[in-house]
Amino acid sequence: MERERARLSPARLRERHMAGDRRPLALLTIALLALGSVLSLLFSVTTGASDASFLDVIANVAGSADALNVRDRVIIFDIRMPRAILGFLVGGSLAVSGAVMQGLFRNPLADPGLVGVSSGAGFGAVVMIVLGGTIAAPLFALLGIYALPIAAFGGGLLTTLLLYRIATSNGQTSVATMLLAGIALGSLAGALTGLLVYMANDQQLRDLTFWGMGSLAGATWSKIAAAAPIILLSFAVTPFIARGLNALTLGEAAAFHMGIPVQRLKNIAIVSVAAATGASVAVSGGIGFVGIVVPHVLRMAIGPDHRFLLPSSALLGGSLLIFADVLARTVVAPAELPIGIITAAVGGPFFLWILLRQRGRLAL
């Protein structure tokens, strides 16, 4: 046993310590969450005014053309399924972004919505929405359906870089500085967004109002085609930064001595968070608290090992946003609640609980 420990690098020893006896539990949790994700997608596409049942949808997907009539096929495959898939992608990307930010900043309060990254991404998207027919028209024509996600990515990336620059000094990140800087950057982005909203016409103003509260009501296959490549690419990066985030929990100096390329890790993590958050905000608007609630719950259940935390966050975040969307479109039917209201109603008290639980440890 001692020989084996001697052969292991410090990073490997750290991962074994973090996993502890929770590795089987983590693997079981991921398997259950994967199953739950499939069930949540099926639940979403079969819930609503249509008479199509769970079994009818499965039969139609399996190749039985008579299982659904024309009306039900349109409802299921052109309205509900894009909405469910987009909800899963957005929820997963926000949850993974929260987990990566918490690992990068080494504290449980980091979240794209709370520290201004979502506001920055929203500002980028609003610039394209309001100015896409005038000043930004050539850029809009060049980028096509990717114009909105790319603009949101640019706004989110700029905000994340500024936040990290302000909050980090001598390799140490101040939690209080991070939160205060996030509030300031979010307020600045909000002010600039408000200026653009003031310039918007009536139709743009109506669109921006509902978009700002967060909704999946406008989900289409073209929106999925625009956002999915960016979100999936950010997902693909996470396995390569998980070990680095594990080492980073000991501090940047310790991670560097373990052989982790710290600066490259930070660059990849920042760009990944900005890309995922920007694409999500562009297609769904402002949906908060998913990025702080999901990773925190999973960290308490399966531990802080990012090799398991990141994939489980993607699965749980996607499933939870799907259920929140089902609630949003059924609780006041035939009207529809903005999904951001539901996530804020649940996430706000949860964040306060985390803050009270951590305040002594974080010296806030």
Side-chain angles (χ1 to χ4, degrees):
M1 184 67 176
E2 292 300 323
R3 285 183 181 177
E4 182 185 358
R5 290 177 62 86
R7 288 197 300 267
L8 292 173
S9 67
R12 293 283 186 177
L13 289 172
R14 172 66 179 166
E15 286 175 3
R16 282 196 170 191
H17 173 71
M18 292 180 74
D21 294 331
R22 294 188 180 185
R23 182 185 177 93
L25 175 62
L27 293 174
L28 176 62
T29 300
I30 291 174
L32 292 175
L33 288 174
L35 176 61
S37 298
V38 175
L39 294 177
S40 66
L41 285 166
L42 289 172
F43 176 72
S44 177
V45 299
T46 56
T47 301
S50 171
D51 295 329
S53 69
F54 184 87
L55 294 177
D56 290 337
V57 174
I58 293 177
N60 186 267
V61 172
S64 177
D66 297 332
L68 296 173
N69 58 40
V70 175
R71 171 180 169 273
D72 286 341
R73 277 199 295 271
V74 170
I75 292 174
I76 297 297
F77 295 106
D78 293 340
I79 299 176
R80 291 187 192 167
M81 191 166 288
R83 186 166 179 155
I85 292 173
L86 189 64
F88 185 83
L89 290 172
V90 168
S93 70
L94 293 176
V96 170
S97 296
V100 170
M101 289 195 72
Q102 289 163 22
L104 181 65
F105 287 103
R106 300 188 295 282
N107 75 84
L109 300 180
D111 167 71
L114 294 172
V115 296
V117 178
S118 294
S119 298
F123 169 66
V126 170
V127 167
M128 194 58 65
I129 291 172
V130 176
L131 303 180
T134 54
I135 299 174
L139 185 62
F140 200 92
L142 176 66
L143 299 176
I145 62 172
Y146 294 101
L148 204 59
I150 289 175
F153 163 69
L157 177 61
L158 178 61
T159 307
T160 308
L161 291 171
L162 287 173
L163 179 68
Y164 193 87
R165 180 67 177 169
I166 293 170
T168 304
S169 177
N170 297 323
Q172 298 295 321
T173 301
S174 167
V175 177
T177 303
M178 181 199 68
L179 291 174
L180 293 173
I183 292 171
L185 291 172
S187 298
L188 178 60
L192 295 174
T193 300
L195 179 62
L196 289 171
V197 170
Y198 180 79
M199 297 166 54
N201 59 39
D202 289 343
Q203 182 58 46
Q204 290 172 338
L205 185 61
R206 179 176 176 82
D207 293 341
L208 289 170
T209 299
F210 287 98
W211 175 84
M213 290 187 287
S215 176
L216 299 173
T220 61
W221 291 113
S222 62
K223 281 191 176 183
I224 293 175
I230 300 174
I231 293 174
L232 293 177
L233 184 60
S234 69
F235 283 168
V237 169
T238 56
F240 300 99
I241 64 174
R243 284 192 169 92
L245 291 174
N246 285 347
L248 205 59
T249 59
L250 297 175
E252 292 187 13
F256 178 79
H257 289 299
M258 288 180 180
I260 302 297
V262 175
Q263 191 57 48
R264 186 172 68 183
L265 171 67
K266 291 191 294 186
N267 292 340
I268 293 173
I270 288 171
V271 172
S272 175
V273 168
T277 303
S280 299
V281 169
V283 295
S284 66
I287 298 176
F289 293 102
V290 175
I292 192 169
V293 171
V294 172
H296 198 83
V297 168
L298 288 170
R299 196 176 287 110
M300 290 189 296
I302 64 175
D305 192 335
H306 289 84
R307 294 175 300 166
F308 308 117
L309 181 63
L310 294 177
S312 58
S313 293
L315 294 170
L316 182 58
S319 298
L320 285 182
L321 198 62
I322 285 175
F323 282 114
D325 180 57
V326 171
L327 185 63
R329 60 187 170 85
T330 57
V331 69
V332 291
E336 181 177 320
L337 280 175
I339 195 171
I341 293 177
I342 294 176
T343 58
V346 175
F350 190 87
F351 173 71
L352 290 175
W353 175 75
I354 294 174
L355 191 62
L356 292 172
R357 188 168 177 262
Q358 299 285 337
R359 62 180 175 180
R361 191 180 311 169
L362 298 174
L364 288 174

PDB file of all heavy atoms in Angstrom, residues 93 96-98 100-101 104 112 117 153 156 160 234 268-278:
ATOM      1  N   SER A  93     -26.027  23.790 -18.762  1.00  0.00           N
ATOM      2  CA  SER A  93     -24.913  24.727 -18.946  1.00  0.00           C
ATOM      3  C   SER A  93     -24.796  25.695 -17.772  1.00  0.00           C
ATOM      4  O   SER A  93     -23.683  26.007 -17.331  1.00  0.00           O
ATOM      5  CB  SER A  93     -25.099  25.509 -20.248  1.00  0.00           C
ATOM      6  OG  SER A  93     -26.178  26.420 -20.168  1.00  0.00           O
ATOM      7  N   VAL A  96     -23.320  23.625 -14.762  1.00  0.00           N
ATOM      8  CA  VAL A  96     -21.893  23.350 -14.955  1.00  0.00           C
ATOM      9  C   VAL A  96     -21.086  24.636 -14.817  1.00  0.00           C
ATOM     10  O   VAL A  96     -19.995  24.642 -14.211  1.00  0.00           O
ATOM     11  CB  VAL A  96     -21.646  22.693 -16.319  1.00  0.00           C
ATOM     12  CG1 VAL A  96     -20.158  22.626 -16.636  1.00  0.00           C
ATOM     13  CG2 VAL A  96     -22.243  21.294 -16.343  1.00  0.00           C
ATOM     14  N   SER A  97     -21.601  25.737 -15.354  1.00  0.00           N
ATOM     15  CA  SER A  97     -20.898  27.014 -15.222  1.00  0.00           C
ATOM     16  C   SER A  97     -20.755  27.409 -13.760  1.00  0.00           C
ATOM     17  O   SER A  97     -19.695  27.898 -13.339  1.00  0.00           O
ATOM     18  CB  SER A  97     -21.648  28.115 -15.988  1.00  0.00           C
ATOM     19  OG  SER A  97     -21.672  27.846 -17.369  1.00  0.00           O
ATOM     20  N   GLY A  98     -21.813  27.187 -12.979  1.00  0.00           N
ATOM     21  CA  GLY A  98     -21.729  27.472 -11.552  1.00  0.00           C
ATOM     22  C   GLY A  98     -20.691  26.609 -10.852  1.00  0.00           C
ATOM     23  O   GLY A  98     -19.898  27.089 -10.033  1.00  0.00           O
ATOM     24  N   VAL A 100     -18.040  25.175 -12.195  1.00  0.00           N
ATOM     25  CA  VAL A 100     -16.693  25.572 -12.627  1.00  0.00           C
ATOM     26  C   VAL A 100     -16.277  26.864 -11.937  1.00  0.00           C
ATOM     27  O   VAL A 100     -15.133  26.992 -11.463  1.00  0.00           O
ATOM     28  CB  VAL A 100     -16.645  25.737 -14.161  1.00  0.00           C
ATOM     29  CG1 VAL A 100     -15.326  26.379 -14.599  1.00  0.00           C
ATOM     30  CG2 VAL A 100     -16.817  24.386 -14.846  1.00  0.00           C
ATOM     31  N   MET A 101     -17.191  27.840 -11.841  1.00  0.00           N
ATOM     32  CA  MET A 101     -16.853  29.094 -11.179  1.00  0.00           C
ATOM     33  C   MET A 101     -16.562  28.884  -9.704  1.00  0.00           C
ATOM     34  O   MET A 101     -15.643  29.497  -9.137  1.00  0.00           O
ATOM     35  CB  MET A 101     -17.979  30.112 -11.354  1.00  0.00           C
ATOM     36  CG  MET A 101     -18.112  30.660 -12.751  1.00  0.00           C
ATOM     37  SD  MET A 101     -19.148  32.140 -12.831  1.00  0.00           S
ATOM     38  CE  MET A 101     -18.072  33.346 -12.077  1.00  0.00           C
ATOM     39  N   LEU A 104     -13.146  27.448  -9.571  1.00  0.00           N
ATOM     40  CA  LEU A 104     -12.139  28.428  -9.974  1.00  0.00           C
ATOM     41  C   LEU A 104     -11.897  29.458  -8.879  1.00  0.00           C
ATOM     42  O   LEU A 104     -10.752  29.801  -8.567  1.00  0.00           O
ATOM     43  CB  LEU A 104     -12.580  29.114 -11.268  1.00  0.00           C
ATOM     44  CG  LEU A 104     -11.629  30.149 -11.858  1.00  0.00           C
ATOM     45  CD1 LEU A 104     -10.329  29.481 -12.304  1.00  0.00           C
ATOM     46  CD2 LEU A 104     -12.283  30.862 -13.034  1.00  0.00           C
ATOM     47  N   PRO A 112     -22.822  32.361 -12.165  1.00  0.00           N
ATOM     48  CA  PRO A 112     -22.858  33.339 -13.262  1.00  0.00           C
ATOM     49  C   PRO A 112     -23.889  34.446 -13.062  1.00  0.00           C
ATOM     50  O   PRO A 112     -23.659  35.591 -13.465  1.00  0.00           O
ATOM     51  CB  PRO A 112     -23.205  32.481 -14.486  1.00  0.00           C
ATOM     52  CG  PRO A 112     -22.711  31.118 -14.139  1.00  0.00           C
ATOM     53  CD  PRO A 112     -22.912  30.981 -12.662  1.00  0.00           C
ATOM     54  N   VAL A 117     -21.974  37.772 -14.479  1.00  0.00           N
ATOM     55  CA  VAL A 117     -21.650  37.211 -15.789  1.00  0.00           C
ATOM     56  C   VAL A 117     -22.896  37.134 -16.668  1.00  0.00           C
ATOM     57  O   VAL A 117     -22.856  37.460 -17.859  1.00  0.00           O
ATOM     58  CB  VAL A 117     -21.004  35.822 -15.636  1.00  0.00           C
ATOM     59  CG1 VAL A 117     -20.703  35.213 -16.998  1.00  0.00           C
ATOM     60  CG2 VAL A 117     -19.726  35.920 -14.813  1.00  0.00           C
ATOM     61  N   PHE A 153     -21.901  35.724 -25.705  1.00  0.00           N
ATOM     62  CA  PHE A 153     -20.628  35.162 -25.277  1.00  0.00           C
ATOM     63  C   PHE A 153     -19.593  36.268 -25.065  1.00  0.00           C
ATOM     64  O   PHE A 153     -18.857  36.264 -24.071  1.00  0.00           O
ATOM     65  CB  PHE A 153     -20.128  34.170 -26.330  1.00  0.00           C
ATOM     66  CG  PHE A 153     -18.658  33.837 -26.212  1.00  0.00           C
ATOM     67  CD1 PHE A 153     -18.186  33.106 -25.140  1.00  0.00           C
ATOM     68  CD2 PHE A 153     -17.761  34.265 -27.172  1.00  0.00           C
ATOM     69  CE1 PHE A 153     -16.834  32.812 -25.031  1.00  0.00           C
ATOM     70  CE2 PHE A 153     -16.419  33.975 -27.078  1.00  0.00           C
ATOM     71  CZ  PHE A 153     -15.957  33.249 -26.002  1.00  0.00           C
ATOM     72  N   GLY A 156     -20.421  38.079 -21.816  1.00  0.00           N
ATOM     73  CA  GLY A 156     -20.116  37.244 -20.661  1.00  0.00           C
ATOM     74  C   GLY A 156     -18.622  37.082 -20.446  1.00  0.00           C
ATOM     75  O   GLY A 156     -18.134  37.087 -19.310  1.00  0.00           O
ATOM     76  N   THR A 160     -16.528  38.211 -17.138  1.00  0.00           N
ATOM     77  CA  THR A 160     -15.790  37.211 -16.362  1.00  0.00           C
ATOM     78  C   THR A 160     -14.328  37.595 -16.210  1.00  0.00           C
ATOM     79  O   THR A 160     -13.747  37.457 -15.118  1.00  0.00           O
ATOM     80  CB  THR A 160     -15.887  35.829 -17.045  1.00  0.00           C
ATOM     81  OG1 THR A 160     -17.257  35.524 -17.290  1.00  0.00           O
ATOM     82  CG2 THR A 160     -15.300  34.744 -16.153  1.00  0.00           C
ATOM     83  N   SER A 234     -18.639  23.568 -24.647  1.00  0.00           N
ATOM     84  CA  SER A 234     -18.238  23.884 -23.268  1.00  0.00           C
ATOM     85  C   SER A 234     -18.345  22.653 -22.372  1.00  0.00           C
ATOM     86  O   SER A 234     -17.537  22.465 -21.457  1.00  0.00           O
ATOM     87  CB  SER A 234     -19.088  25.033 -22.716  1.00  0.00           C
ATOM     88  OG  SER A 234     -20.431  24.633 -22.518  1.00  0.00           O
ATOM     89  N   ILE A 268      -9.021  28.504 -19.812  1.00  0.00           N
ATOM     90  CA  ILE A 268     -10.010  27.568 -20.366  1.00  0.00           C
ATOM     91  C   ILE A 268     -11.314  27.646 -19.589  1.00  0.00           C
ATOM     92  O   ILE A 268     -12.407  27.666 -20.166  1.00  0.00           O
ATOM     93  CB  ILE A 268      -9.449  26.136 -20.354  1.00  0.00           C
ATOM     94  CG1 ILE A 268      -8.272  26.020 -21.334  1.00  0.00           C
ATOM     95  CG2 ILE A 268     -10.537  25.130 -20.725  1.00  0.00           C
ATOM     96  CD1 ILE A 268      -7.553  24.692 -21.258  1.00  0.00           C
ATOM     97  N   ALA A 269     -11.206  27.688 -18.255  1.00  0.00           N
ATOM     98  CA  ALA A 269     -12.410  27.731 -17.412  1.00  0.00           C
ATOM     99  C   ALA A 269     -13.204  29.006 -17.666  1.00  0.00           C
ATOM    100  O   ALA A 269     -14.440  28.969 -17.781  1.00  0.00           O
ATOM    101  CB  ALA A 269     -12.020  27.624 -15.945  1.00  0.00           C
ATOM    102  N   ILE A 270     -12.528  30.138 -17.761  1.00  0.00           N
ATOM    103  CA  ILE A 270     -13.211  31.419 -17.967  1.00  0.00           C
ATOM    104  C   ILE A 270     -13.913  31.452 -19.319  1.00  0.00           C
ATOM    105  O   ILE A 270     -15.082  31.858 -19.421  1.00  0.00           O
ATOM    106  CB  ILE A 270     -12.204  32.581 -17.831  1.00  0.00           C
ATOM    107  CG1 ILE A 270     -11.810  32.765 -16.370  1.00  0.00           C
ATOM    108  CG2 ILE A 270     -12.790  33.877 -18.381  1.00  0.00           C
ATOM    109  CD1 ILE A 270     -10.682  33.732 -16.151  1.00  0.00           C
ATOM    110  N   VAL A 271     -13.223  31.023 -20.369  1.00  0.00           N
ATOM    111  CA  VAL A 271     -13.835  31.023 -21.698  1.00  0.00           C
ATOM    112  C   VAL A 271     -15.008  30.049 -21.751  1.00  0.00           C
ATOM    113  O   VAL A 271     -16.059  30.342 -22.350  1.00  0.00           O
ATOM    114  CB  VAL A 271     -12.779  30.674 -22.769  1.00  0.00           C
ATOM    115  CG1 VAL A 271     -13.445  30.464 -24.131  1.00  0.00           C
ATOM    116  CG2 VAL A 271     -11.739  31.772 -22.863  1.00  0.00           C
ATOM    117  N   SER A 272     -14.864  28.877 -21.097  1.00  0.00           N
ATOM    118  CA  SER A 272     -15.941  27.889 -21.086  1.00  0.00           C
ATOM    119  C   SER A 272     -17.189  28.424 -20.396  1.00  0.00           C
ATOM    120  O   SER A 272     -18.305  28.272 -20.890  1.00  0.00           O
ATOM    121  CB  SER A 272     -15.445  26.617 -20.379  1.00  0.00           C
ATOM    122  OG  SER A 272     -16.493  25.682 -20.243  1.00  0.00           O
ATOM    123  N   VAL A 273     -16.993  29.060 -19.237  1.00  0.00           N
ATOM    124  CA  VAL A 273     -18.132  29.629 -18.505  1.00  0.00           C
ATOM    125  C   VAL A 273     -18.803  30.731 -19.323  1.00  0.00           C
ATOM    126  O   VAL A 273     -20.038  30.791 -19.420  1.00  0.00           O
ATOM    127  CB  VAL A 273     -17.670  30.175 -17.140  1.00  0.00           C
ATOM    128  CG1 VAL A 273     -18.756  31.036 -16.500  1.00  0.00           C
ATOM    129  CG2 VAL A 273     -17.318  29.026 -16.202  1.00  0.00           C
ATOM    130  N   ALA A 274     -18.000  31.605 -19.910  1.00  0.00           N
ATOM    131  CA  ALA A 274     -18.568  32.698 -20.697  1.00  0.00           C
ATOM    132  C   ALA A 274     -19.340  32.180 -21.900  1.00  0.00           C
ATOM    133  O   ALA A 274     -20.417  32.693 -22.239  1.00  0.00           O
ATOM    134  CB  ALA A 274     -17.452  33.640 -21.144  1.00  0.00           C
ATOM    135  N   ALA A 275     -18.796  31.151 -22.578  1.00  0.00           N
ATOM    136  CA  ALA A 275     -19.467  30.602 -23.754  1.00  0.00           C
ATOM    137  C   ALA A 275     -20.795  29.951 -23.378  1.00  0.00           C
ATOM    138  O   ALA A 275     -21.828  30.196 -24.012  1.00  0.00           O
ATOM    139  CB  ALA A 275     -18.563  29.586 -24.444  1.00  0.00           C
ATOM    140  N   ALA A 276     -20.771  29.102 -22.338  1.00  0.00           N
ATOM    141  CA  ALA A 276     -21.992  28.401 -21.933  1.00  0.00           C
ATOM    142  C   ALA A 276     -23.053  29.374 -21.430  1.00  0.00           C
ATOM    143  O   ALA A 276     -24.227  29.278 -21.795  1.00  0.00           O
ATOM    144  CB  ALA A 276     -21.666  27.366 -20.857  1.00  0.00           C
ATOM    145  N   THR A 277     -22.635  30.322 -20.591  1.00  0.00           N
ATOM    146  CA  THR A 277     -23.589  31.295 -20.048  1.00  0.00           C
ATOM    147  C   THR A 277     -24.124  32.203 -21.149  1.00  0.00           C
ATOM    148  O   THR A 277     -25.331  32.490 -21.199  1.00  0.00           O
ATOM    149  CB  THR A 277     -22.917  32.143 -18.959  1.00  0.00           C
ATOM    150  OG1 THR A 277     -22.393  31.280 -17.938  1.00  0.00           O
ATOM    151  CG2 THR A 277     -23.922  33.095 -18.328  1.00  0.00           C
ATOM    152  N   GLY A 278     -23.247  32.663 -22.029  1.00  0.00           N
ATOM    153  CA  GLY A 278     -23.681  33.543 -23.105  1.00  0.00           C
ATOM    154  C   GLY A 278     -24.689  32.885 -24.018  1.00  0.00           C
ATOM    155  O   GLY A 278     -25.721  33.474 -24.353  1.00  0.00           O
TER     156      GLY A 278
END
